[in-house]
Amino acid sequence: MKKTLLSALFCAATLAFTAPSFAATTSETQGIQASPEFYAKANLSALKGKKIGITIQSLRNAYWAGVMAALEDVLSANGAKFTIVECDDKSAKQVAQIENFISSGCDFILVHPSDAAAVEDVCAEARKQGIKVMCWDDPMTNTDGNWILNNTNLGIAIGELAGNFINEHYSTDKKAKVAVLGFPQTKILLEREEGIREGMKNVADGKYEIVASQAALRPNEAQTAIETILQREPDCKVVTGIGAGPMIGADEALQIATNGKIPEDMGVFTTDVTKQQLQHLSDPTYPAKGIIGFEGSDVDTATSCASMFALILENKLPEHNVIRGVAPITKENVEKISSGMK
């Protein structure tokens, strides 16, 4: 019998949540697969006295707000000086922020790009001036290191998590009705959605039908989408999605629809890790059943990110691209993850 991707993920998670579960590539980009042992090689004392500039897409996103709060703690504890700004998903604003980091004499810049191509030139300029540059999410060229996900494989893991649930509660004679909440406007999120479809087919082919596929990134959008879907498909009980917003919104819609009495065959499966998602996962009045997470909690992710900083600052990064690991969060390990959230 073919061993599925999610089966491998669960095996790895039993050893250590942060263990990587597969060797991944992002958009055919090769890199080294991260692991606890990989991050443990970093000497965080390399951060002491360093001036670090960080620009991300948005701090209004709950995932990023939590991780950045944890990263502030890790950087402060290790004596770094830092500035964290958001670009409101505007490339021109982000370019200006990086230019400010250069002129202010930063030693290190982290960019979570709104548009990776738009910041390549300014990152190249930073490196010409001796500043180390790291990209979070994209396989950029003009950086000293990229910290990236294989979004297709991430989607496959979400789909397989949902597929295993479908296998438990549905059959070829009683098919699950599934809604997929994606966001095809963004390339990496489209990759996740395509992976979700592949993952469900891997493990539950013939036991479900996708009755709706809708763009929904934020909780309110997802809630409205599921409410609309339920009007024409009242038996839709399985929802998959590409992030925290789809889970939170779908949970709210389904909780209202069932008056908080969630049937055993109802479940929501997505990725990202926020406190609200974890709270829903622990609360039986919500249908959240599983999340595919990354390094673990906010603190786990922040510590791993700071380890990347240290490896780059000391020229010890073995390859340009570092592929992040993923693993499932379910009711069995949610309490452990929750203890490290901001």
Side-chain angles (χ1 to χ4, degrees):
M1 182 180 294
K2 183 177 75 172
K3 186 175 183 180
T4 67
L5 173 62
L6 188 57
S7 297
L9 285 171
F10 273 111
C11 289
T14 60
L15 298 175
F17 179 76
T18 53
S21 306
F22 47 80
T25 58
T26 299
S27 303
E28 303 302 320
T29 301
Q30 299 296 320
I32 186 170
Q33 180 67 50
S35 68
E37 294 75 20
F38 170 82
Y39 295 123
K41 294 176 182 178
N43 179 7
L44 294 183
S45 65
L47 303 175
K48 187 174 182 179
K50 298 298 183 183
K51 188 172 183 179
I52 298 171
I54 299 169
T55 170
I56 67 170
Q57 291 174 7
S58 174
L59 284 169
R60 288 169 290 179
N61 178 297
Y63 170 77
W64 284 100
V67 170
M68 288 298 116
L71 184 58
E72 288 184 4
D73 290 345
V74 175
L75 294 177
S76 295
N78 286 282
K81 304 172 184 178
F82 59 89
T83 301
I84 300 175
V85 294
E86 59 181 340
C87 71
D88 300 317
D89 230 347
K90 297 175 182 177
S91 296
K93 183 174 182 179
Q94 191 161 54
V95 169
Q97 290 170 340
I98 296 170
E99 289 173 340
N100 287 338
F101 291 152
I102 295 170
S103 62
S104 66
C106 280
D107 301 294
F108 188 99
I109 295 173
L110 170 66
V111 56
H112 173 233
S114 174
D115 178 353
V119 297
E120 284 279 11
D121 288 346
V122 70
C123 287
E125 180 59 31
R127 296 182 72 215
K128 286 180 184 177
Q129 299 195 32
I131 301 170
K132 301 290 188 182
V133 179
M134 171 180 153
C135 178
W136 185 327
D137 259 2
D138 291 88
M140 287 179 59
T141 299
N142 293 309
T143 60
D144 295 276
N146 301 316
W147 203 38
I148 54 183
L149 285 167
N150 181 322
N151 283 281
T152 297
N153 279 357
L154 173 59
I156 290 172
I158 299 167
E160 289 185 352
L161 190 61
N164 286 334
F165 177 82
I166 290 169
N167 284 336
E168 292 176 14
H169 299 285
Y170 297 91
S171 65
T172 54
D173 295 325
K174 180 194 173 186
K175 294 184 178 181
K177 292 190 175 183
V178 179
V180 179
L181 300 180
F183 198 73
Q185 297 93 322
T186 300
K187 181 178 180 295
I188 63 170
L189 299 183
L190 176 59
E191 291 174 359
R192 289 184 193 180
E193 181 179 345
E194 291 170 343
I196 288 171
R197 294 171 185 270
E198 182 178 343
M200 284 194 293
K201 188 172 182 179
N202 284 349
V203 299
D205 194 21
K207 297 181 182 179
Y208 68 92
E209 59 176 323
I210 296 175
V211 297
S213 180
Q214 194 160 331
L217 188 59
R218 297 175 176 83
N220 63 319
E221 297 167 345
Q223 182 172 348
T224 299
I226 295 302
E227 289 171 347
T228 302
I229 291 166
L230 289 175
Q231 290 175 11
R232 65 174 188 272
E233 296 287 351
D235 293 328
C236 178
K237 294 182 180 179
V238 178
V239 179
T240 61
I242 44 75
M247 171 168 275
I248 294 166
D251 275 351
E252 295 294 345
L254 291 169
Q255 186 194 55
I256 292 169
T258 61
N259 292 315
K261 298 177 181 179
I262 307 300
E264 289 186 358
D265 59 353
M266 178 176 284
V268 179
F269 304 87
T270 68
T271 186
D272 289 342
V273 186
T274 68
K275 288 179 71 173
Q276 189 171 357
Q277 284 176 286
L278 297 177
Q279 289 165 358
H280 285 196
L281 194 57
S282 302
D283 186 340
T285 68
Y286 285 106
K289 292 294 192 298
I291 304 163
I292 297 297
F294 312 123
E295 293 72 30
S297 67
D298 289 336
V299 172
D300 294 326
T301 297
T303 303
S304 298
C305 182
S307 296
M308 286 287 296
F309 289 8
L311 289 167
I312 292 172
L313 282 165
E314 294 195 313
N315 299 312
K316 292 182 178 179
L317 198 67
E319 294 190 36
H320 192 209
N321 298 307
V322 175
I323 313 299
R324 299 169 67 193
V326 300
I329 304 172
T330 63
K331 295 184 185 299
E332 285 68 37
N333 62 352
V334 65
E335 185 175 348
K336 176 184 176 183
I337 303 303
S338 296
S339 66
M341 298 301 288
K342 287 292 181 178

